[in-house]
Amino acid sequence: FNAKLPLIYSPNLDPKSFVKWRLNQILEKISILVCRESELVQFEKLLGLGRQEIIEKFNRLKYIFTIHDRSKIVIHSKDIMTKISEAPAENVVSDKGWFDAFRAGLVYAVSLKKPIIEAAKIASALASYSIEKASSQIYNPSPEQVSLRAFEVKVISKNL
């Protein structure tokens, strides 16, 4: 554990299997939550809070990433909602593994202490390479290739 790096959590379970006290424990400790939109909706129901209220209640939690699908990635923070586009892919073979690759790219970029928007762009770019191959584990772009593709990711921010 490195106290200088934010703690990222991404549930890989059915959100209905969470109990309220356990979810509260998790959210008290993390800085970034990365989940599918459907998972966040379940968490909101369980906690009885909206996404902005969740961010306000848990002091360490700075960002909630919701993934609707490849083309709709949203970052919720205290005062701003940011939409990130998917990075362009040359030839989409399979969506399998996209979400895992996105999470890996986000962890990688955050570990390099990139600003959160830049980290999201890198994550989207890395994930775009994963869908160009039949197996999501045989892509291996260089950091330079990922950075070039991240440059093409569009960002739209809106003050709340």
Side-chain angles (χ1 to χ4, degrees):
F1 175 71
N2 183 339
K4 296 183 187 218
L5 290 176
L7 187 58
I8 300 172
Y9 178 72
S10 183
N12 216 7
L13 305 165
D14 178 2
K16 293 176 185 171
S17 67
F18 278 89
V19 290
K20 187 175 182 176
W21 68 268
R22 182 65 180 134
L23 182 57
N24 275 300
Q25 282 184 325
I26 292 167
L27 294 175
E28 286 172 359
K29 292 177 174 46
I30 64 171
S31 303
I32 301 170
L33 173 65
V34 182
C35 59
R36 290 179 172 83
E37 173 65 21
S38 59
E39 292 169 328
L40 183 57
V41 168
Q42 290 296 321
F43 291 156
E44 288 174 322
K45 287 179 186 175
L46 181 61
L47 297 169
L49 299 170
R51 45 201 79 188
Q52 288 308 120
E53 293 169 309
I54 292 170
I55 290 171
E56 289 170 14
K57 178 179 178 179
F58 299 98
N59 294 332
R60 290 187 184 176
L61 183 61
K62 302 298 179 208
Y63 305 102
I64 299 174
F65 280 73
T66 55
I67 313 298
H68 298 261
D69 56 39
R70 282 192 353 239
S71 64
K72 190 170 182 190
I73 305 156
V74 180
I75 306 169
H76 306 273
S77 62
K78 191 169 187 168
D79 300 321
I80 299 173
M81 181 177 71
T82 304
K83 293 181 182 177
I84 306 291
S85 73
E86 71 178 307
E90 291 180 13
N91 182 28
V92 176
V93 175
S94 171
D95 282 348
K96 188 175 180 184
W98 183 92
F99 188 57
D100 290 336
F102 180 87
R103 291 186 290 197
L106 186 64
V107 168
Y108 167 74
V110 167
S111 74
L112 296 176
K113 300 183 179 175
K114 300 286 187 188
I116 201 68
I117 301 299
E118 187 178 345
K121 291 172 71 171
I122 289 169
S124 181
L126 181 65
S128 73
Y129 282 99
S130 74
I131 62 176
E132 294 178 345
K133 304 287 183 190
S135 170
S136 62
Q137 297 180 356
I138 58 174
Y139 61 98
N140 191 19
S142 69
E144 293 79 19
Q145 289 172 304
V146 173
S147 291
L148 284 172
R149 200 170 273 190
F151 185 72
E152 298 181 55
V153 173
K154 307 289 185 254
V155 176
I156 301 170
S157 293
K158 176 177 134 181
N159 290 329
L160 301 175

